[in-house]
Amino acid sequence: MTILSYDIHERPLVFESTQLYHKNAPHEGTRYAIVLYNKDFRWADTKSPRVDRTQPFATDKEGLAQSADAFYLDTGTADPLPLLGELDKTTFHPDRCSGQAKPHTKYVNAENSTFLSFGLTLCRKSKEQQAMRGIPDRRGVNKNNTTHIRLFTTLCTYLNQLHPRLFGLDNTFFYTSLIVARNALCRFHLDSLNKGNACILGVGDYTGGELLLNTGMSNTRLERLSHVLGVGGGQCTECGACDDGQAVEKEE
């Protein structure tokens, strides 16, 4: 098993979160993990089967950086103190599976792992309702953008000072959705319902909490998929680990 550890404390790391198993290491203190990503807003009946990669992941950091599967962003100067001030006075809530009143299985301690999401989100309106609004897909605007407007604007300022146009609400930005996780601890999982890579960084007064990438587990999955589906096959329909956010690691 090959596990690589990345320090993400105020250091944005871009990584292939849909096919690289990942989790955060334990930490001490108050840790806010900011995860930026893009959702697939197409309607289910217009999506083509997802094609899995056929090349295995590199098993060292240099190789992952060369293949653009995991690399640090070049960053500018950004003061995290205004953001931390807003985060510390904001109430966070336990995460729940979409449409269900139960926690995601990927969290080790779901009730003490709390979250807020921002940016664009999947709208629950029908295709007809969206069409009447002039929107061709499931794109919607997260209500937290206005409910927590001071935190949202401070997040945007901080992130876009770190890297130009890192986060915003249209396709001119690298990422249009994000989640802030407060003291969350995950098991190894995939974010297979997202589109493309993700970017993660941590802020706060904490130690530990590195991002761990399990390239050995990821390559084993690729081998299994190529055997079950054939090289270049579509999305696995037999493996529960391919579901969004589902854990594949037993709790210790």
Side-chain angles (χ1 to χ4, degrees):
M1 181 182 294
T2 305
I3 298 177
L4 302 176
S5 176
Y6 289 84
D7 177 12
I8 58 169
H9 190 229
E10 298 178 22
R11 300 184 67 190
L13 181 80
V14 175
F15 72 106
E16 172 47 88
S17 68
T18 66
Q19 297 189 69
L20 260 177
Y21 285 107
H22 57 281
K23 71 175 183 178
N24 56 296
H27 70 278
E28 294 185 0
T30 300
R31 174 183 184 267
Y32 298 99
I34 304 171
V35 185
L36 302 100
Y37 55 94
N38 292 305
K39 300 296 291 185
D40 188 345
F41 293 114
R42 293 175 299 170
W43 299 100
D45 60 359
T46 64
K47 293 182 182 180
S48 57
R50 179 168 60 84
V51 176
D52 285 279
R53 66 188 287 153
T54 58
Q55 294 298 316
F57 289 102
T59 56
D60 60 89
K61 291 184 178 181
E62 181 179 1
L64 286 178
Q66 290 177 349
S67 62
D69 288 313
F71 61 93
Y72 287 109
L73 278 182
D74 294 330
T75 58
T77 301
D79 183 4
L81 291 181
L83 175 59
L84 287 171
E86 292 298 325
L87 290 168
D88 287 340
K89 64 185 182 183
T90 300
T91 300
F92 287 71
H93 304 282
D95 196 20
R96 292 290 183 265
C97 294
S98 178
Q100 303 179 38
K102 65 178 183 179
H104 277 290
T105 60
K106 64 183 178 183
Y107 300 118
V108 174
N109 189 342
E111 294 305 320
N112 291 327
S113 300
T114 54
F115 307 82
L116 279 176
S117 59
F118 294 94
L120 298 182
T121 188
L122 291 174
C123 182
R124 296 185 180 182
K125 294 184 181 296
S126 68
K127 183 185 292 189
E128 292 73 20
Q129 289 173 315
Q130 287 287 85
M132 291 178 63
R133 302 166 67 197
I135 303 174
D137 52 27
R138 294 189 62 194
R139 189 179 310 260
V141 178
N142 195 316
K143 65 180 181 180
N144 286 335
N145 300 352
T146 51
T147 303
H148 302 282
I149 190 168
R150 288 180 60 89
L151 176 54
F152 176 65
T153 55
T154 308
L155 272 167
C156 292
T157 299
Y158 175 73
L159 293 170
N160 293 320
Q161 286 177 344
L162 274 180
H163 192 84
R165 305 201 71 76
L166 183 59
F167 174 73
L169 297 181
D170 62 57
N171 292 334
T172 65
F173 293 88
F174 289 103
Y175 299 99
T176 58
S177 301
L178 71 77
I179 188 168
V180 183
R182 185 180 190 275
N183 293 333
L185 186 60
C186 297
R187 302 176 178 89
F188 277 118
H189 67 282
L190 300 175
D191 301 325
S192 59
L193 294 184
N194 291 345
K195 183 179 179 181
N197 58 34
C199 180
I200 186 171
L201 69 152
V203 295
D205 184 11
Y206 69 91
T207 57
E210 298 84 1
L211 180 72
L212 305 179
L213 300 182
N214 193 326
T215 59
M217 181 183 291
S218 304
N219 286 332
T220 298
R221 171 181 176 271
L222 292 179
E223 292 176 4
R224 182 177 67 247
L225 285 179
S226 63
H227 173 73
V228 173
L229 303 169
V231 174
Q235 186 172 6
C236 176
T237 59
E238 300 180 11
C239 174
C242 297
D243 293 336
D244 183 48
Q246 294 299 308
V248 295
E249 176 189 36
K250 292 182 179 179
E251 185 174 350
E252 297 178 355

